[in-house]
Amino acid sequence: MSDSTSSGQVAAPPGGRLLALAKRAAEHALWGRVAVQRRLEARAKGDRPAPTTVAPTGVLTDAAAWRRAADEAKRLRLPLHRDLPKNWDALGAVGAVLDLVDDGTRSARVMDAGSARYSPVLPWLRLYGFGSTPGSLIGINLEFGSQVTRDGVVFRYGDVTDTGLPSGHLDAITCMSVIEHGVPLEGFIAESARLLRPGGVLAVSTDYDQDPPDTTGKEIYGSQVHIFSPAEIRDLVALAERHDLELVGTLDDAALAHTERPVHWTRVDLDYTFILLTFRRR
């Protein structure tokens, strides 16, 4: 997530100390597995195919779709996010990096914006062989304090609207379930476009519904819960276009529809779905 404070200090852990401790335990278990698995697979010299289940741009239409994504992640020997629907957009984002950015050398520089150290995108990219060059896989978040490295992946304090990184520095940016938490979209899109080299990729997922439920009075992570509508998604795509970020795929009325609300957020008692948008920098 990407919470901030008015003084620019590191935000308190969302959900309180106990939840933060549980997340830290999940983080250590995940990265311990990645380090061991990566070394074992290097000895076996096996090849992991790229994921194919999730398109770079699209809507999570039903529960069967996230189940297919989770099943594919298992077959690919990728450690699952325990909130199973979140494996759907992570698999699509990793697939987009492999398909649209990687030249076969696994040398792409990738940033996960609003990252969590226990979320799947960066561990999965590490298992695919990215991150051998120091600093080529990074995660930034306003919640992070001192820089932490996990199996070669750097996690550090950073603002998704003002990263301080050089222009054209990145081949890809992922941003999973972050922008709905009060992120200034103009600043985020402008900064992403600045950071990406021509041909670079931005993969963004967010909470979405073709007819969003009422979120009045529901607050979390310091802001009101927001679920994007079709009109807001179209506005986001138009904003990206103005910053030379071209949508990969199409989003007509049919593509924005879904037959179920397959995501349930227990803490706020809401049902909705996810959308994944992938853009290429012109």
Side-chain angles (χ1 to χ4, degrees), residues 14-135:
R17 182 170 176 77
L18 288 178
L19 182 58
L21 289 173
K23 289 178 178 179
R24 181 61 58 86
E27 167 200 337
H28 284 287
L30 170 64
W31 285 103
R33 170 181 168 173
V34 168
V36 171
Q37 183 177 336
R38 192 171 57 80
R39 287 165 176 78
L40 291 173
E41 291 178 350
R43 291 175 193 163
K45 298 182 180 178
D47 190 25
R48 177 181 283 105
T52 59
T53 297
V54 183
T57 292
V59 170
L60 175 60
T61 56
D62 51 38
W66 69 249
R67 291 191 183 103
R68 284 193 298 272
D71 286 345
E72 182 177 32
K74 285 181 184 177
R75 290 194 302 273
L76 294 171
R77 306 181 308 282
L78 301 172
L80 296 184
H81 195 297
R82 64 181 182 177
D83 187 354
L84 292 175
K86 290 183 179 294
N87 294 289
W88 175 84
D89 51 342
L91 199 67
V94 168
V97 172
L98 285 162
D99 185 45
L100 301 174
V101 172
D102 180 45
D103 61 1
T105 66
R106 302 295 197 259
S107 60
R109 296 183 299 272
V110 185
M111 181 182 77
D112 191 33
S115 186
R117 290 191 290 264
Y118 55 84
S119 58
V121 169
L122 292 174
W124 290 2
L125 288 173
R126 192 71 179 106
L127 285 170
Y128 268 104
F130 294 89
S132 58
T133 301

Side-chain angles (χ1 to χ4, degrees), residues 166-179:
S167 297
H169 180 69
L170 298 174
D171 298 288
I173 299 169
T174 61
C175 186
M176 304 286 99
S177 294
V178 171
I179 63 170

Side-chain angles (χ1 to χ4, degrees), residues 179-255:
I179 63 170
E180 64 269 25
H181 298 294
V183 172
L185 294 181
E186 176 74 42
F188 167 65
I189 291 295
E191 179 70 351
S192 297
R194 184 187 71 80
L195 291 173
L196 288 171
R197 54 122 172 126
V201 163
L202 169 66
V204 182
S205 73
T206 192
D207 297 346
Y208 167 75
D209 198 282
Q210 59 191 346
D211 184 16
D214 184 13
T215 61
T216 303
K218 296 182 183 290
E219 293 189 3
I220 201 162
Y221 304 137
S223 62
Q224 181 172 314
V225 173
H226 185 78
I227 298 173
F228 280 74
S229 68
E232 289 173 315
I233 292 297
R234 291 188 182 97
D235 287 344
L236 177 58
V237 172
L239 172 62
E241 178 70 26
R242 292 195 293 274
H243 287 277
D244 289 328
L245 294 168
E246 183 178 12
L247 187 69
V248 177
T250 58
L251 275 183
D252 55 17
D253 289 344

